[in-house]
Amino acid sequence: MTESWYSDERTIAENIRELRERIAAAAAESGRDAGEVRLMAVTKTVPAGRVNLALRAGADLLGENRVQECCEKYQNYACNANVIHFIGHLQTNKIRDIIDKVGMIESVDSVHLAAALQKECEKRRERLDILLQVNIGAEETKSGLLPEELFPAWEQIAAECPLLRVRGLMTIPPRAEGDFWLRKTQELYLKMKETAPKSAEPGALDTLSMGMSGDYEAAVRCGSTQVRIGRGIFGERR
């Protein structure tokens, strides 16, 4: 291996060490255990070799944004599918390509997508963990269920898609000063835990996926159980 490779490995490991320290401090500020927060390495445009360095340094999960990119890199990853989550916008015609390469789909943004995932799970006779993506700021440029759509959609998915296990929420909040939108998402998540549909699986809700390189500490203070970090681990995209 080249000297630059070893330098890259040290940099990624140091970045993850610093992230862990900051996550732990943010968790402590809100009376939480740092062990409640998983660190996801977002791998968009990052070669598989560099992704494996993040796994070696202690990243808990990988986050894939693009189906084709995931398929191209999957065989070279030093992990199994359970460690990989799909976090990008998913078209129904791409479900077959991605479903056996991930342990969770975090970006379920419609009942229509959930129904298509259910059909594929029926063919495979397998269950699938999902998160419901909420467009907490009702931004036209972002995917996701609007807050007022969330509970009716969840009730329908729970009733009609028994092979899908709803584990919680994912969001990409508007860029704004302070933690207003993070708190709003936390409120929705806590309400979900209190008012689950009768057909929902008891005790399944355990994941609030929010927080990226620019706001992960605030997200942890607002109850996030999973932060999605790309630039903070790998640097600017190459």
Side-chain angles (χ1 to χ4, degrees), residues 11-84:
T11 299
I12 289 172
E14 178 62 21
N15 288 343
I16 287 180
R17 183 194 65 76
E18 183 177 342
L19 285 163
R20 292 287 190 193
E21 289 179 355
R22 292 189 172 191
I23 288 169
E29 287 177 25
S30 53
R32 302 177 64 202
D33 186 329
E36 298 174 12
V37 185
R38 291 184 294 176
L39 175 59
M40 174 186 287
V42 177
T43 67
K44 185 177 179 181
T45 76
V46 181
R50 297 189 77 227
V51 174
N52 289 337
L53 294 180
L55 287 169
R56 189 184 305 173
D60 299 306
L61 300 165
L62 303 182
E64 290 287 339
N65 291 85
R66 299 169 176 168
V67 171
Q68 182 175 346
E69 184 179 350
C70 180
C71 291
E72 290 171 353
K73 296 191 294 189
Y74 178 74
Q75 294 300 328
N76 294 315
Y77 280 161
C79 65
N80 60 35
N82 289 333
V83 176
I84 305 170

